[in-house]
Amino acid sequence: MLDFETARYNMLESQIRTNDVTDKAVQAAMMQTPREKFVPAGKRSVAYQDEDMLIHTSDEGAKRYLMEPRVFARLLQMADIRSDSLVLHVGAGLGYGPAVVSKLAETVVALECDAALAAAAGQNLSDVSADNVAVIEGALEAGCPEQAPFDVIIIEGAVPEIPAALKDQLKDGGRLVCVLGHGLAGKAHIVERSGSEASARAEFSAAVAPVPGFEKPQGFVF
């Protein structure tokens, strides 16, 4: 049987610490969260691989991925989550991301657009006693205005642009982190809100799988 604790430690040493993640709280949260419990049963042996993992395909054929550990950890470090933070996690998947964030924040709202994933995430989070996470089903690009404003918003997956609706759900001084652009063009960005303004800056290159719901509408073609 695979020693998951050793696999988790190896992930920390070879993927997290070696990729400029120096925040001890982020390291501890990643080490304490059993990633293998948040992937399909047949993929538990490769739960700690250093790449995005396909975790679900909807009836319509939409594919969902679990973000690779090193990029996710760097996004968390960039977000600077504090113990009293209210966090919106956009794209809960099977619940791994919210489970990690739950160890850093006071309260996590985990938003998921796929009903099957939302149900599974809720069960998985309950199984690991992540009691400060609320899973909500809804459109990812719309955020969760009824629970806003948020100290931090995390989008787990690549998006072509950040909807104004999400920026508007940040508190003054709040931060949104995500990857803008797909494939080799992807860049991790942080958006910081100051008063009524929100400014974004790129931090590092990151090639991760897209998250649904953020597709730009195609323009008119003659």
Side-chain angles (χ1 to χ4, degrees):
M1 180 179 291
L2 183 64
D3 182 348
F4 288 116
E5 188 170 352
T6 297
R8 201 150 52 246
Y9 176 79
N10 290 338
M11 174 195 71
L12 181 67
E13 291 297 310
S14 64
Q15 300 177 41
I16 308 304
R17 286 180 172 156
T18 58
N19 280 285
D20 299 322
V21 179
T22 58
D23 188 305
K24 298 296 185 184
V26 171
Q27 292 179 6
M30 299 284 286
M31 185 63 195
Q32 293 164 8
T33 306
R35 190 175 171 93
E36 71 276 5
K37 295 184 182 296
F38 295 91
V39 301
K43 294 190 174 183
R44 287 177 181 165
S45 64
V46 291
Y48 294 92
Q49 65 184 4
D50 188 21
E51 59 184 51
D52 292 343
M53 176 189 292
L54 179 65
I55 58 171
H56 179 70
T57 303
S58 72
D59 293 339
E60 295 75 31
K63 298 184 183 298
R64 293 295 295 278
Y65 293 83
L66 176 63
M67 187 182 289
E68 62 182 85
R70 68 175 188 87
V71 174
F72 184 62
R74 289 190 71 180
L75 287 177
L76 293 185
Q77 177 170 263
M78 193 163 63
D80 189 24
I81 300 168
R82 295 150 196 169
S83 59
D84 61 350
S85 292
L86 172 61
V87 177
L88 173 63
H89 192 287
V90 178
L94 288 172
Y96 175 74
V100 176
V101 176
S102 75
K103 300 182 184 303
L104 301 168
E106 182 173 15
T107 305
V108 183
V109 176
L111 182 63
E112 179 49 56
C113 61
D114 185 287
L117 283 176
Q123 184 59 61
N124 291 339
L125 288 159
S126 177
D127 289 347
V128 298
S129 300
D131 300 326
N132 60 337
V133 182
V135 179
I136 295 177
E137 186 181 340
L140 303 186
E141 68 276 15
C144 192
E146 60 272 23
Q147 300 293 333
F150 298 97
D151 296 290
V152 173
I153 298 176
I154 300 164
I155 303 175
E156 188 172 341
V159 297
E161 61 184 11
I162 304 168
L166 289 182
K167 297 177 187 178
D168 290 344
Q169 290 172 37
L170 285 172
K171 287 183 181 178
D172 188 12
R175 301 161 302 285
L176 181 153
V177 294
C178 68
V179 174
L180 280 177
H182 185 45
L184 296 178
K187 297 278 187 183
H189 280 68
I190 181 167
V191 175
E192 296 180 284
R193 187 174 183 87
S194 178
S196 62
E197 300 297 321
S199 59
R201 69 176 185 273
E203 289 289 321
F204 60 92
S205 297
V208 299
V211 66
F214 293 84
E215 299 83 1
K216 288 182 179 180
Q218 292 197 355
F220 180 78
V221 179
F222 287 97

